[in-house]
Amino acid sequence: MTMADSNPLGDKDFVETLIPQKKPFVMVDTLYFYSENELVAGFTIHNDAVFLKDNSFVESGIIEHMAQSVALHTGYQFYLRNEQAPTGYIGSINKLQIKGLPKLHDEIRTTVSIIQEFGGVTLVDIVSKLNNVEIANGQMKTVLAK
């Protein structure tokens, strides 16, 4: 059993309080694991998903899910300190590979691994999986608003 298979730390309603995005633009709904350097988030694709086309969750949806997983890490970090999380922005996306598209009712699980964090700028590795098979990966740099 891996850390991401355990009971979730947070459900959809709780997760939505930790990220700046609001319905219908929420692309994370479960927090499975959190540590200072890593997070595992989930998203189950429902028929009202913004990026659902012909029963497939398209590339831009996967990228947004990845970005919101990073935002969830920051939001939970601030939640644990009883502080309001600042808004963050994507600074850059590098080495992005999308190898497969999930379908309606599939759950994507994404692991965010912090590579470096300094002065409000965070560099992360991101891997998204469907049924334990990698469907996307890349690096993202995010910047917190001052």
Side-chain angles (χ1 to χ4, degrees), residues 125-144:
D125 262 330
I126 307 171
V127 176
S128 294
K129 293 182 177 181
L130 174 61
N131 299 320
N132 254 352
V133 176
E134 186 175 303
I135 60 166
N137 66 64
Q139 287 189 346
M140 197 173 284
K141 190 180 289 182
T142 60
V143 182
L144 293 181

Side-chain angles (χ1 to χ4, degrees), residues 12 15-16 19-30 41-46 48-52 57-70 72 107-110 128:
K12 185 177 189 285
V15 165
E16 286 182 23
I19 60 172
Q21 292 80 10
K22 301 297 171 221
K23 289 180 186 176
F25 211 70
V26 174
M27 306 292 149
V28 289
D29 58 18
T30 310
F43 180 60
T44 300
I45 297 144
H46 296 286
D48 60 350
V50 174
F51 294 106
L52 187 66
F57 195 57
V58 298
E59 291 89 345
S60 50
I62 294 172
I63 295 167
E64 183 60 30
H65 164 71
M66 292 170 127
Q68 289 186 23
S69 297
V70 177
L72 182 57
E107 184 193 32
I108 312 168
R109 287 209 187 179
T110 295
S128 294

Side-chain angles (χ1 to χ4, degrees), residues 53-132:
K53 183 175 182 185
D54 299 324
N55 279 342
S56 287
F57 195 57
V58 298
E59 291 89 345
S60 50
I62 294 172
I63 295 167
E64 183 60 30
H65 164 71
M66 292 170 127
Q68 289 186 23
S69 297
V70 177
L72 182 57
H73 185 273
T74 302
Y76 195 68
Q77 200 171 45
F78 277 79
Y79 165 80
L80 291 175
R81 296 193 306 236
N82 269 337
E83 296 175 22
Q84 183 71 33
T87 302
Y89 302 94
I90 298 171
S92 65
I93 299 173
N94 296 309
K95 303 176 186 170
L96 181 67
Q97 289 185 310
I98 296 180
K99 305 172 186 178
L101 299 178
K103 305 283 187 212
L104 183 64
H105 305 301
D106 284 344
E107 184 193 32
I108 312 168
R109 287 209 187 179
T110 295
T111 302
V112 174
S113 302
I114 309 297
I115 299 171
Q116 188 176 31
E117 200 167 11
F118 182 77
V121 177
T122 305
L123 178 63
V124 298
D125 262 330
I126 307 171
V127 176
S128 294
K129 293 182 177 181
L130 174 61
N131 299 320
N132 254 352

